[in-house]
Amino acid sequence: MTHTHLKMIKCCSIKNNTIYIDHQTVYHTTEESFDSFIELAYRNFKFNYPKFFKMDRLAKLGFIASEFLLQGQSLLSRYAPDKIGLLLANQSSSLDTDLKYAELMHQGIPSPATFVYTLPNIVNGEICIRHGIKGENTFFISDDFEINTQVDYIMSLFHEHHIDACIGGWVELLDNQYECFMYLVEANQDLTAPEFSINNIQNNYYKSQSYA
C-alpha cells in the first residue's frame, strides 16, 4: 500500500469529566472524581469488557479513549493486525500506580495485580489486546506532549511501510488530574479528512486544551 495521503480520521479528548469526539461532547457527568467519572462512562456506553475493572486508572483512561476513537472504524477488516500501530506518551509515567503500590508495600501487603501496572506501556498493552493490534507499539515519557517528535515518528513508520494505520496521543493521569488526547491516522483517499501533519495535530490538541 502506498502512503501518499495520510489523514487524521478522528480524534478523542477526555478532560474535566467530559468525553469529546472531534471536539463534540459525547458524554459528560458532574461527578468530580476521576474514578466515578470513568466508571460511569464505561457503564453508560455498555462496552462489555469485564477486565476493565481490573485495570489501573491510567489504563482505564486510555482504554475508554480508544473505545470511542475506534467505534465504527473496523480496522481489522481493512488492515493486518501487525500493520496497525500505537504510539502514546505522557508526563507522569505510571507514577499514580507506583505510589499506590509503594503504599501497599509499606503496609506489608504488596499486590501482584497492582504491581503489573507499574509500567506506563501497560495502557498500550490493554488497548492492543482489546482491539487486536500487533504493530509498532511505543510509549514515550516527556515533560510536555512533544507533537513534532510523535508525528515525525508516525510518518516515518508509514513511509517505511511498517504500518497502514496508527493511533497516537497523550494519556496523562496523576491523582485526580488527568487529560487524554488520542487520534487515528490512516492512509486514506478521503479528500474531506484533514491531512495528518504537525500543524493539524497541534491545532486539534490545543483546541482540546481550551475546553472548560
Side-chain angles (χ1 to χ4, degrees):
M1 178 182 293
T2 59
H3 297 135
T4 56
H5 298 284
L6 296 182
K7 300 287 189 174
M8 193 192 80
I9 304 302
K10 190 176 181 182
C11 68
C12 175
S13 303
I14 301 179
K15 188 178 181 181
N16 298 332
N17 301 337
T18 309
I19 300 172
Y20 305 86
I21 293 293
D22 294 332
H23 309 294
Q24 300 297 312
T25 301
V26 295
Y27 182 73
H28 173 75
T29 177
T30 57
E31 286 289 340
E32 294 185 359
S33 77
F34 170 80
D35 299 292
S36 297
F37 157 68
I38 208 71
E39 184 170 323
L40 284 170
Y42 171 88
R43 294 186 185 281
N44 187 72
F45 288 90
K46 300 178 174 65
F47 288 125
N48 191 28
Y49 193 68
K51 190 182 177 185
F52 172 82
F53 296 101
K54 298 181 180 179
M55 296 179 191
D56 77 338
R57 303 165 83 233
L58 182 66
K60 286 179 178 178
L61 178 60
F63 175 89
I64 290 296
S66 68
E67 289 297 289
F68 282 96
L69 184 72
L70 297 179
Q71 273 185 329
Q73 297 303 310
S74 303
L75 291 184
L76 291 179
S77 70
R78 293 179 285 123
Y79 306 113
D82 63 353
K83 289 294 187 177
I84 305 170
L86 175 62
L87 279 81
L88 300 176
N90 77 3
Q91 179 184 52
S92 300
S93 185
S94 56
L95 184 57
D96 188 76
T97 297
D98 296 347
L99 293 172
K100 178 180 178 181
Y101 186 73
E103 178 61 24
L104 291 172
M105 288 283 288
H106 180 73
Q107 296 173 10
I109 48 172
S111 165
T114 302
F115 177 75
V116 74
Y117 287 98
T118 57
L119 289 171
N121 62 345
I122 298 301
V123 62
N124 288 40
E126 297 288 12
I127 294 170
C128 288
I129 291 169
R130 168 64 163 168
H131 296 284
I133 297 170
K134 298 181 180 179
E136 178 76 14
N137 183 321
T138 307
F139 199 103
F140 294 97
I141 309 298
S142 58
D143 288 337
D144 300 294
F145 186 14
E146 296 181 353
I147 293 173
N148 293 35
T149 300
Q150 187 174 98
V151 170
D152 285 344
Y153 195 132
I154 292 173
M155 282 184 169
S156 71
L157 292 172
F158 274 101
H159 294 154
E160 294 170 10
H161 302 282
H162 293 305
I163 56 173
D164 296 325
C166 190
I167 298 165
W170 178 258
V171 185
E172 168 65 13
L173 181 145
L174 183 60
D175 296 326
N176 209 39
Q177 301 298 312
Y178 62 92
E179 67 163 329
C180 181
F181 172 75
M182 202 176 289
Y183 57 88
L184 174 64
V185 183
E186 296 183 48
N188 197 301
Q189 302 296 320
D190 181 2
L191 298 180
T192 65
E195 295 290 334
F196 175 57
S197 67
I198 290 171
N199 283 342
N200 277 340
I201 297 301
Q202 285 177 336
N203 289 340
N204 277 277
Y205 175 65
Y206 295 145
K207 185 174 182 178
S208 76
Q209 295 296 289
S210 68
Y211 300 154

